[in-house]
Amino acid sequence: MLWSGWGDPAKAAALPEPLRELLRDMLGVRAPQTPAASFGEVRLAPVALSPLVLAELRAVVGDGHVRSDDDARIRHTRGKSTPDLMRMRAGDGSDAPDAVVLPGSHAEVTELLRLCAAHRVAVVPFGGGTSVVGGLVATRRGFAGVVALDLARLNRLISVDAESMTAEMEPGLRTPQAEQLLATRGLTLGHFPQSYEYATLGGFAAARSSGQASAGYGRFDDMVVGMTVATSRGTLDLGRAPKSAAGPDLRQVILGSEGAFGVITSLRLRIRRAPTRRIYEGWRFASFAAGSAALRRLAQEGPVPTVLRLSDETETMIGLARPGELGGLAADAGCLAIAGYEGSEEVTALRERAAAVLSESGGVHLGTGPGESWAHGRYSAPYLRDSLLAAGATVETLETAGFWSNLPRLYDAVRLSLRASLGSPLVMCHISHVYGTGASLYFTVVTAQSGDPLTQWEAAKRSAGEAIVRAGGTISHHHGVGRDHREAYTAEIGELGVEILRGIKDRLDPRGILNPGVLIAEGR
């Protein structure tokens, strides 16, 4: 991963000229006056951990698996939100961990947590580093230092139960690795979020991830049937049957906890037969409301395609659903929907039935061109953000979800809030995931950078979060809470909800070393 951007820096291509013109004319975007900092210009604080603590860490995992050099510390600083990248591009490494520790087993993770609790060292579990909600920045106050617990060495496919269609896998596996290991057996997880190329299985579970094919395969938390978790007080082994009535499901306590309660060291996951056919196609609707009604009908009455998403008028006009064609669509393009079908023989019948519903709902079939274009560029948007930042634009995403009856109110509330905060930004939206009862809304915001773009975006993000809560939506559908959404999450679940979570943390992590400041505020 690029230390100050996303993925492979060679893929952050220059912006197409139509988009450059649009940014200049509509938003007043101008190139930044200050160039981005180089790797050698990143400012780091001295390592705070004592030689004694570093020696004890090395005794657990081996000398080669504890790193406190600048390279390791910089590459484990923060996540990949736009504010994260802005700080790195400004040379601000103030949130860097003091050391990066790479355990190789559950036993080593358990011993590291015991050691760090004894020395009052904060621990940030680190997978792919793709958090966009401030999930990788620990509070330093009251701690002797901070370590990033990089789980990259926990990257095995432990076993496959072909009869039960489950696989036990370690949390440090990145999605492409996991898919390659399963593909040799004709299997798949079916989890393809935008962070697919770099995110890890443990990160998906910790943040309750949802993939772009979730309409067909389900969310990642739907796939988790069991897990092993290392905590400061011992080990949790959870999930011994597909479903159970034996009390509350403790898996749900860990799923979405973002490393604040424990460290996931293995996952038992539901798997599927790998599809032999994949077809993606485009549909045009006259309006976002008409397209939303069509998606709701499919979600409630069926059949449900594997992939189902709908861009609003602005996102369709800009062409964000097809990154290779940015700026190339006409203003009267309506709203583009993408329907994708994965499977084997059943794909033809499913596609025909879904097409009948979409057509009856006012959709115009555009063929497979738009769908294949989307599929080809489905992981490209983060690279586009890097290019936009370099051009002088602030670009960021935020997402929410709500019930179908409340979705128009939620959609309007977020857009109005962003426009009130930013003046005249470009606000685009798409429905990214659908359910029988509702759907998620994924917003992309582009505006000209002010003299203080960090403060500019933080104010807009805070206003949008307040609008989401007032409009009855959830503060996050699949990005998690981290630090950025903590206040809005408190408003969503109430003070009693926060007390419950704090009680769980106090019991599992009595010294408060696990990702302090993430999910819930420190203190009583």
Side-chain angles (χ1 to χ4, degrees), residues 144-159:
V146 176
V147 300
L149 193 73
D150 191 324
L151 300 170
R153 292 177 62 209
L154 294 177
N155 62 355
R156 296 180 301 148
L157 169 59
I158 299 171
S159 64

Side-chain angles (χ1 to χ4, degrees), residues 360-377:
E360 290 170 8
S361 301
V364 176
H365 188 228
L366 303 177
T368 58
E372 295 300 329
S373 177
W374 169 82
H376 178 72

